[in-house]
Amino acid sequence: MDAELVPPGIDPTKAHPSRRYNYWLGGKDNFAVDRESAEMVASAFPTVGLAARENRAFMRRVVGHLAGEAGIGQFLDIGTGLPSAGNVHEIAQGIDPSARIVYVDNDPIVLVHARALLTSEPQGRTAYIDADLRDPEKILADADLRRTLDLPLPVALMLVATMHFITDDHDPYGIVRTLLGALPSGSHLVMTHATGDYLTPEEYAVNVEANERSGVPFRLRSRDEFARFFDGLELLPPGVGSVVEWRPEEPPEDRPAVEDVSMFCAVARVP
């Protein structure tokens, strides 16, 4: 992306997770600083692009399940990223045209694209909120969210490849509790999260150092740390595991190794 076309409010000298993710997925909506940050991470974890693609594939499968079999008609997708093929609203409304979706991100480039591309089926509704996950009360109080979602009815809270950007000093578990506290019984929490559990101690140290140099705050979490987000919820089978192994559509021999993806996932129902 040409720095001369930078939308207002963007610092093209600072990497952003959404644009870096866009680069790993093969997109063009990123700056040199995002590509440099992405390559820095890739130098320590060369299969990070594969991890991004598998994470996206998981998202498509889980939205299809929730909108179909689970009968969820509302989605709150925080950390949306730049629109690409197979967005949440496209999958959900392809199954239930009346589905309602609220997207949340804090990158002005995402905002520009979202307003242009995130259209809705006539029977349903979509909205985009420019907000930061670290301020969940602001997200929940947003007028567009309240107009779009009927909060007495179940909502799928989507935190896909998002919470690993929330470091411990920002109370990640408190953020999730606050968001879930506003949602009724029958709602679902969907989360994916990068992990170092599949790395050797040496590889883990290299990855932590590369993430620190990349300019984007990042926190790898263990299986136990990840599972803690789901305390008090009813995990759907197969429970906590790799995104590769959550209700896969390919036979085992055609799936990537969980070590090459290093991403946990889980889906749980609010009792």
Side-chain angles (χ1 to χ4, degrees), residues 171-222:
D171 189 17
Y173 300 103
I175 288 172
V176 174
R177 283 195 303 270
T178 297
L179 292 168
L180 289 176
L183 306 181
S185 173
S187 295
H188 285 66
L189 172 62
V190 177
M191 190 185 301
T192 69
H193 197 298
T195 182
D197 281 14
Y198 300 108
L199 305 174
T200 67
E202 294 77 14
E203 290 170 336
Y204 183 87
V206 169
N207 273 267
V208 169
E209 192 272 337
N211 278 310
E212 288 176 350
R213 286 191 293 116
S214 75
V216 175
F218 199 84
R219 171 71 155 81
L220 295 168
R221 290 189 170 93
S222 68

Side-chain angles (χ1 to χ4, degrees), residues 224-242:
D224 287 345
E225 289 174 316
F226 176 69
R228 183 181 160 195
F229 286 109
F230 296 86
D231 285 352
L233 305 181
E234 301 169 353
L235 285 167
L236 274 61
V240 174
S242 170

Side-chain angles (χ1 to χ4, degrees), residues 151-166:
L151 290 183
L153 298 178
V155 176
L157 171 60
M158 310 283 295
L159 294 169
V160 176
T162 301
M163 290 305 298
H164 44 227
F165 296 113
I166 305 300

Side-chain angles (χ1 to χ4, degrees), residues 8 11 28 36-37 46 67 83 118 151 200 229-230 266:
D11 180 358
K28 305 297 183 184
E36 291 165 5
S37 175
L118 296 181
L151 290 183
T200 67
F229 286 109
F230 296 86

Side-chain angles (χ1 to χ4, degrees), residues 61-240:
R61 295 196 304 275
V62 76
V63 172
H65 165 75
L66 292 175
E69 184 179 336
I72 300 296
Q74 304 189 110
F75 295 80
L76 175 56
D77 183 8
I78 303 179
T80 304
L82 285 145
S84 61
N87 296 293
V88 170
H89 74 286
E90 293 170 325
I91 301 165
Q93 292 182 347
I95 296 169
D96 175 8
S98 67
R100 298 180 171 208
I101 297 90
V102 171
Y103 293 104
V104 181
D105 212 306
N106 66 340
D107 180 1
I109 287 184
V110 176
L111 176 62
V112 169
H113 283 271
R115 287 178 172 165
L117 299 177
L118 296 181
T119 56
S120 174
E121 290 292 330
Q123 305 97 310
R125 188 177 297 176
T126 62
Y128 177 85
I129 299 173
D130 182 17
D132 194 314
L133 175 57
R134 292 169 293 187
D135 190 356
E137 290 88 355
K138 180 181 178 182
I139 293 172
L140 293 169
D142 190 272
D144 283 339
L145 182 147
R146 297 282 171 168
R147 280 192 293 265
T148 305
L149 301 181
D150 188 356
L151 290 183
L153 298 178
V155 176
L157 171 60
M158 310 283 295
L159 294 169
V160 176
T162 301
M163 290 305 298
H164 44 227
F165 296 113
I166 305 300
T167 50
D168 295 344
D169 54 318
H170 288 291
D171 189 17
Y173 300 103
I175 288 172
V176 174
R177 283 195 303 270
T178 297
L179 292 168
L180 289 176
L183 306 181
S185 173
S187 295
H188 285 66
L189 172 62
V190 177
M191 190 185 301
T192 69
H193 197 298
T195 182
D197 281 14
Y198 300 108
L199 305 174
T200 67
E202 294 77 14
E203 290 170 336
Y204 183 87
V206 169
N207 273 267
V208 169
E209 192 272 337
N211 278 310
E212 288 176 350
R213 286 191 293 116
S214 75
V216 175
F218 199 84
R219 171 71 155 81
L220 295 168
R221 290 189 170 93
S222 68
R223 183 187 183 94
D224 287 345
E225 289 174 316
F226 176 69
R228 183 181 160 195
F229 286 109
F230 296 86
D231 285 352
L233 305 181
E234 301 169 353
L235 285 167
L236 274 61
V240 174

